[in-house]
C-alpha cells in the first residue's frame, strides 16, 4: 500500500494548482472512494496512517468501515492521541458512518474496550439499522446544502440517538432520527455520500477547511 495518493492515478478532474491539503484516514474502510471525490473537487489529497502524515494536512476525512477496527488500528499506529489533539485544536474533520462513530463523544452498543476520539457532542448507536442486508437508500432534505434533496445510502450505519447543546442536526429521517450533524469544524453523517456521486457534503466540508485557512 502506498501512503500518499499523489503517487496514484487521481489526476482526473484535479486542477493544476493544488487546493487545500486534505487527508483521508486510511487505516481501514472505504478511504479511496473519499480520496477520489476530494481530488475531483480540487483538494491536494493524501492518505493518513501515521502522526507525521496527520500533521501535514489542513483537514481530515474519517471514512466508513468498522469503527472498532479503526479504533484498534489508530492506537496501534500511534494515531489516537494525535487525532484527539488535532480535533481539540480545531482541525476540520468529516466522519461518515464509522467515522461518525469515531467522532462521537458517546457510543452505544460499542464492543468491549472500544473507544471513540470524541469532539461531537452527540450520542450515537452502532449498527442502528441492522445488518448489511438491511441497507437502504432514501432522499433527505438538508437545507444547509440547498433545496435539492440529498440521496443517501445507509450501510450498517449508526444513528444519532441524542444531540447535545454544542452540536446541530443537519438531517433527519422521516421518523425523526438524526443522521447528519455538525459542530464547529466537525461534520458527521450516518450515510455514504462518497459512493453515490453526491459531492455536496464534501464541498461543505472543504468550505470549513478553506474558512479555517483564511481565518
Amino acid at each position: 500500500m502506498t501512503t500518499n495518493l499523489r503517487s496514484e492515478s487521481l489526476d482526473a478532474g484535479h486542477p493544476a494548482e493544488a487546493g487545500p491539503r486534505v487527508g483521508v484516514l486510511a487505516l481501514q474502510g472505504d478511504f479511496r472512494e473519499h480520496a477520489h471525490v476530494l481530488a475531483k473537487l480540487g483538494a491536494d489529497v493524501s492518505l493518513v496512517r501515521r502522526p507525521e502524515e496527520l500533521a501535514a494536512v489542513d483537514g481530515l476525512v474519517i471514512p466508513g468501515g468498522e469503527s472498532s477496527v479503526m479504533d484498534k488500528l489508530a492506537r496501534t499506529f500511534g494515531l489516537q492521541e494525535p487525532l484527539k489533539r488535532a480535533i481539540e485544536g480545531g482541525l476540520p474533520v468529516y466522519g461518515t458512518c464509522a467515522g461518525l462513530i469515531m467522532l462521537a463523544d458517546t457510543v452505544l452498543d460499542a464492543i468491549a474496550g472500544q473507544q471513540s476520539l470524541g469532539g461531537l457532542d452527540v450520542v450515537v448507536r452502532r449498527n442502528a439499522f441492522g445488518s448489511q442486508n438491511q441497507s437502504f437508500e432514501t432522499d433527505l432534505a438538508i437545507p444547509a446544502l440547498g433545496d435539492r434533496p440529498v440521496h443517501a445510502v445507509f450501510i450498517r450505519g449508526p444513528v444519532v440517538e441524542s444531540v447535545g447543546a454544542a452540536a446541530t442536526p443537519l438531517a433527519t429521517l422521516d421518523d425523526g432520527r438524526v443522521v447528519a450533524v455538525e459542530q464547529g469544524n466537525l461534520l458527521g453523517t450516518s450515510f455514504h455520500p462518497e459512493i453515490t456521486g453526491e459531492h455536496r457534503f464534501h464541498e461543505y466540508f472543504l468550505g470549513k477547511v478553506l474558512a479555517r485557512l483564511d481565518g
Side-chain angles (χ1 to χ4, degrees), residues 58-60 86-95 103 119-120 181-188 204-205 207-213:
D58 303 311
L60 180 73
I87 291 168
E88 291 170 358
L91 181 74
V93 182
Y94 174 28
L103 289 176
L120 277 175
V181 65
E182 71 175 333
Q183 180 178 331
N185 284 328
L186 303 181
L187 179 65
Y204 190 68
F205 168 67
K208 292 179 180 290
V209 176
L210 291 171
R212 185 168 188 254
L213 289 173

Side-chain angles (χ1 to χ4, degrees), residues 96-186:
T96 63
C97 198
L100 169 59
I101 296 170
M102 293 287 284
L103 289 176
D105 283 346
T106 304
V107 180
L108 305 179
D109 293 338
I111 69 168
Q114 182 175 351
Q115 302 174 27
S116 68
L117 301 169
L120 277 175
D121 185 16
V122 297
V123 177
V124 302
R125 185 178 299 277
R126 289 177 73 240
N127 299 337
F129 299 107
S131 62
Q132 188 155 332
N133 62 10
Q134 293 173 295
S135 301
F136 67 98
E137 302 180 25
T138 190
D139 288 336
L140 300 172
I142 306 181
L145 301 186
D147 295 332
R148 181 165 51 91
V150 170
H151 188 68
V153 174
F154 293 82
I155 305 172
R156 294 180 62 226
V159 71
V160 179
E161 292 275 343
S162 64
V163 179
T168 302
L170 292 177
T172 60
L173 297 175
D174 290 341
D175 60 11
R177 288 183 291 178
V178 175
V179 291
V181 65
E182 71 175 333
Q183 180 178 331
N185 284 328
L186 303 181

Side-chain angles (χ1 to χ4, degrees), residues 59-112:
L60 180 73
V61 172
I62 304 178
E66 175 49 60
S67 59
S68 60
V69 175
M70 285 188 194
D71 167 45
K72 290 178 182 178
L73 290 174
R75 285 182 269 166
T76 298
F77 281 77
L79 266 172
Q80 185 189 57
E81 290 305 317
L83 282 166
K84 287 182 176 181
R85 289 194 298 269
I87 291 168
E88 291 170 358
L91 181 74
V93 182
Y94 174 28
T96 63
C97 198
L100 169 59
I101 296 170
M102 293 287 284
L103 289 176
D105 283 346
T106 304
V107 180
L108 305 179
D109 293 338
I111 69 168

Side-chain angles (χ1 to χ4, degrees), residues 4-6 10-11 13-22 38-46 56 58 206 209-210 213-214:
N4 194 312
L5 281 174
R6 298 184 191 93
L10 286 179
D11 295 331
H14 193 107
E17 184 177 345
R21 298 170 298 172
V22 179
L38 291 164
K40 287 179 180 179
L41 293 175
D44 181 15
V45 185
S46 61
D58 303 311
L206 287 176
V209 176
L210 291 171
L213 289 173
D214 293 340

